[in-house]
Amino acid sequence: MNIVQRPRRNRKSESIRSLVRENRLTKDDLIAPLFLIDGVNKKEEISSMPGQYRFTAELLLEEINSLSSLGIKSISLFPALEAKYKDKTATLSHDLNHFYQKAISAVKENFPDITVMTDVAMDPYSSDGHDGLVDDKSGEILNDQTLEILAKMAVAQAQSGSDIIGPSDMMDGRVGFLRSALDEVGFKNVSIMSYTAKYCSSFYGPFRDALDSAPKGGDKKTYQMDFANSKEAIREAQLDAMEGADILMVKPGISYLDIVKSLKDHCHLPIAVYNVSGEYSMIKAAEEKGWLNGDQVMMEMLTSFKRAGADIILTYFAKRAAELL
Ligand code: PBG
């Protein structure tokens, strides 16, 4: 048969396939999200996220040590507070003596070369379970009043040694507001990775179990994005870039590869993608049932983020991927 074009020639052996491979996942791309609790010597498995734990500080350091020896250089830290410590205005979020702030300092003291990203949003500390301040009468999430609290939180995290502030709250104007709050007190070199296109997603379910942070009333639709929209992501990205963000993030990951690609094409900043809790749990559950090969599906998924244009991947699979890479 006279077939001139035979694409299969470029697939005929692993060595040729590796020569023509367009995208590669490396350990350099990965950020491991980790959960922190108060206390000593506790490590609790998160029931809806098998293989993921809430650690107290000294066990968190051990975990970071093993991640670091596997070649993971960046972590993102989330606190899980007991309900009795949560309040309306997220008071503990900017207390320098709180266990979260103290753990940030401990990580930087023990691992100065590890990049520590910290989370800015009210939900882990809020008795309302929202990322912003809730107006008791109307139930409205108050944008501008929230910014004042987020700024205190960002400054406290920077004072504790955070390298990258990660606003995950989706309030309007927060990147610019946090940038000037940080600059005013001299933290010009603290970066901002904005959760730029953060969608209102049911894929966050297991994370809210991990933090016990589900909203007490209503939902997050007035601040997180409608999953039917894509142009709005470009608008958010342009605003964050103008306001001084260093890195733009898309969240969740697998159902949002088109958004990753679109931001990559429209923006000149590095693009991160957050492979969220529900995406992790789905694969773990199917693997436990023997329905698919978890490691293979993980690698395929992580590589698809690179193919879509992501420079950085936040993933609960970071440790496992590093073991295999
Ligand atoms: C909230 C926050 C959420 C996640 C990170 N920060 C959940 C939410 O918006 O309710 C989700 C991460 C995940 O699902 O892995 N500020």
Side-chain angles (χ1 to χ4, degrees):
M1 241 180 268
N2 180 25
I3 302 174
V4 177
Q5 294 284 352
R6 287 186 183 268
R8 287 185 57 194
R9 280 196 288 268
N10 283 350
R11 300 179 205 135
K12 70 183 170 193
S13 67
E14 177 48 30
S15 58
I16 290 182
R17 287 193 295 275
S18 68
L19 285 173
V20 302
R21 189 159 292 139
E22 296 174 42
N23 295 288
R24 281 192 171 75
L25 179 71
T26 75
K27 297 177 189 184
D28 295 343
D29 308 321
L30 303 174
I31 300 180
L34 295 170
F35 297 105
L36 180 74
I37 45 171
D38 198 12
V40 276
N41 256 321
K42 275 193 280 178
K43 175 179 174 182
E44 308 168 348
E45 188 164 34
I46 299 158
S47 55
S48 53
M49 300 178 75
Q52 299 297 313
Y53 302 86
R54 301 180 199 90
F55 299 98
T56 52
E58 70 299 322
L59 296 183
L60 179 88
L61 294 178
E62 273 177 31
E63 180 67 8
I64 294 173
N65 192 37
S66 61
L67 287 167
S68 162
S69 37
L70 285 164
I72 299 290
K73 293 175 286 189
S74 301
I75 61 151
S76 172
L77 207 51
F78 295 95
L81 277 71
E82 285 177 57
K84 61 180 177 196
Y85 296 116
K86 301 185 183 186
D87 64 15
K88 183 109 205 117
T89 56
T91 308
L92 286 176
S93 67
H94 45 86
D95 181 340
L96 286 175
N97 291 316
H98 187 241
F99 73 86
Y100 185 65
Q101 267 71 246
K102 287 200 291 200
I104 298 167
S105 315
V107 175
K108 288 307 295 183
E109 248 165 59
N110 286 274
F111 304 98
D113 298 332
I114 292 281
T115 290
V116 177
M117 172 169 167
T118 53
D119 192 63
V120 168
M122 286 174 63
D123 54 317
Y125 314 90
S126 153
S127 44
D128 293 312
H130 274 287
D131 295 26
L133 187 64
V134 182
D135 182 290
D136 279 332
K137 282 203 193 97
S138 64
E140 192 192 332
I141 310 297
L142 302 167
N143 194 89
D144 301 11
Q145 289 90 324
T146 299
L147 295 187
E148 305 283 351
I149 297 170
L150 300 181
K152 288 189 209 164
M153 202 183 299
V155 168
Q157 293 171 1
Q159 283 171 333
S160 310
S162 174
D163 298 294
I164 304 181
I165 300 296
S168 67
D169 55 288
M170 288 302 276
M171 296 301 118
D172 289 337
R174 84 252 212 237
V175 171
F177 198 82
L178 296 183
R179 185 68 273 161
S180 44
L182 290 167
D183 289 352
E184 247 168 54
V185 285
F187 292 115
K188 297 204 161 37
N189 292 325
V190 171
S191 314
I192 296 180
M193 183 191 298
S194 177
Y195 285 63
T196 294
K198 178 172 179 182
Y199 285 85
C200 192
S201 170
S202 296
F203 284 102
Y204 307 149
F207 176 97
R208 293 180 190 169
D209 293 344
L211 263 59
D212 190 19
S213 64
K216 298 285 181 283
D219 53 40
K220 299 192 174 185
K221 287 182 182 164
T222 67
Y223 47 107
Q224 299 181 347
M225 287 173 54
D226 182 343
F227 57 69
N229 295 352
S230 65
K231 286 205 277 286
E232 199 182 342
I234 300 170
R235 182 182 188 201
E236 289 283 2
Q238 286 167 343
L239 289 172
D240 284 358
M242 276 181 338
E243 291 175 31
D246 300 287
I247 299 171
L248 306 177
M249 188 209 290
V250 175
K251 177 182 181 191
I254 35 184
S255 298
Y256 297 84
L257 294 181
D258 56 326
I259 309 300
V260 174
K261 172 92 175 98
S262 160
L263 293 203
K264 187 68 183 177
D265 291 344
H266 283 89
C267 311
H268 301 293
L269 288 170
I271 305 297
V273 64
Y274 198 139
N275 180 209
V276 300
S277 57
E279 301 174 316
Y280 173 85
S281 302
M282 287 194 305
I283 293 177
K284 295 304 276 186
E287 180 184 43
E288 273 178 19
K289 280 190 167 276
W291 287 351
L292 44 71
N293 181 314
D295 283 343
Q296 288 172 2
V297 170
M298 167 188 78
M299 282 303 187
E300 185 176 332
M301 172 182 66
L302 296 176
T303 305
S304 78
F305 296 137
K306 298 288 295 182
R307 196 187 62 233
D311 302 289
I312 300 166
I313 305 167
L314 292 98
T315 179
Y316 303 99
F317 284 114
K319 190 177 191 180
R320 183 63 188 144
E323 283 166 1
L324 299 179
L325 282 167

